[in-house]
Amino acid sequence: MSPMTSTPLTIEWSLLGVLHKQPMHGYEIYQTLSNFEGIGLVWRLKQSQVYALLSKLEERGYVTATLEPQDPRPPRKVYELTANGHQALMEWIQSPVEHGRDVRLEFLAKLYFAQKEGKEYVQTLLNQQQMACEEWIIEYQMQAATIEQEQPYEWLVYQFRIGQMQAMVEWLT
């Protein structure tokens, strides 16, 4: 199995985050994720995506589903976070994103759920991400220094990335 299919996506992690406090049925999860006063500010998703992702999370053992009767309507599935899902979520919340391009979606999602857990989670995440950004700055500076004269376009790209990372570090502090 490739890493892309075995590692949950940001949206999948967010589903776990929504289920962390209480079990919910699919439409409740969709409504929570779509709320513009919360995680809905980060991205948009379709209701059908939620159900497909919940099935994947259930297959991985991160959530369980039980049928809840709704007479006279068909029963609905209520999803609940498993112990494995809880542990994976807590590790995800406290770890930095691996690429600068992931700050806009994944980091902001992590920050949202870290705030739900408390100040210590937020501080851990901010510190970890700041250290990662500072490492990226050093790496980009070293790469830019080796190509300044020979490849002016590539040098400009690294300067842009350095500026982005410096802005992120400032924002994180």
Side-chain angles (χ1 to χ4, degrees):
M1 188 181 323
S2 77
M4 292 298 285
T5 58
S6 65
T7 304
L9 304 169
T10 302
I11 289 178
E12 291 170 304
W13 288 115
S14 296
L15 292 173
L16 296 179
V18 168
L19 290 171
H20 177 60
K21 297 297 180 186
Q22 67 184 32
M24 294 180 172
H25 57 82
Y27 187 67
E28 275 181 299
I29 296 167
Y30 169 74
Q31 287 178 312
T32 302
L33 289 173
S34 298
N35 185 345
F36 292 117
E37 294 176 3
I39 197 71
L41 285 171
V42 176
W43 69 76
R44 311 281 183 265
L45 72 156
K46 296 177 182 174
Q47 189 174 347
S48 60
Q49 286 177 292
V50 171
Y51 293 104
L53 295 172
L54 284 168
S55 292
K56 285 183 183 179
L57 292 171
E58 190 174 11
E59 289 171 12
R60 292 183 183 141
Y62 289 148
V63 300
T64 58
T66 56
L67 290 177
E68 181 181 271
Q70 307 185 101
D71 288 333
R73 298 187 316 236
R76 66 180 171 192
K77 278 188 174 182
V78 176
Y79 297 89
E80 186 172 3
L81 200 60
T82 64
N84 286 345
H86 172 77
Q87 180 181 350
L89 175 67
M90 292 300 110
E91 289 171 7
W92 177 75
I93 286 173
Q94 296 178 78
S95 63
V97 297
E98 295 181 14
H99 305 283
R101 67 179 175 265
D102 296 330
V103 171
R104 188 177 72 81
L105 294 176
E106 187 175 354
F107 178 79
L108 290 176
K110 287 180 182 221
L111 185 59
Y112 175 80
F113 291 109
Q115 287 182 324
K116 299 262 183 216
E117 294 304 312
K119 290 180 182 180
E120 64 279 356
Y121 285 86
V122 171
Q123 198 57 54
T124 298
L125 177 60
L126 292 174
N127 291 342
Q128 293 292 326
Q129 195 61 61
Q130 183 178 352
M131 287 189 311
C133 287
E134 289 169 350
E135 289 173 13
W136 295 333
I137 291 170
I138 292 168
E139 181 182 322
Y140 293 151
Q141 287 172 334
M142 290 183 349
Q143 291 171 339
T146 64
I147 62 170
E148 186 174 350
Q149 297 297 324
E150 302 95 35
Q151 300 165 314
Y153 174 75
E154 287 80 357
W155 182 83
L156 287 172
V157 170
Y158 283 116
Q159 294 306 308
F160 176 76
R161 289 178 179 170
I162 291 165
Q164 282 184 314
M165 290 306 116
Q166 289 170 335
M168 284 185 211
V169 168
E170 186 175 324
W171 178 74
L172 289 164
T173 54

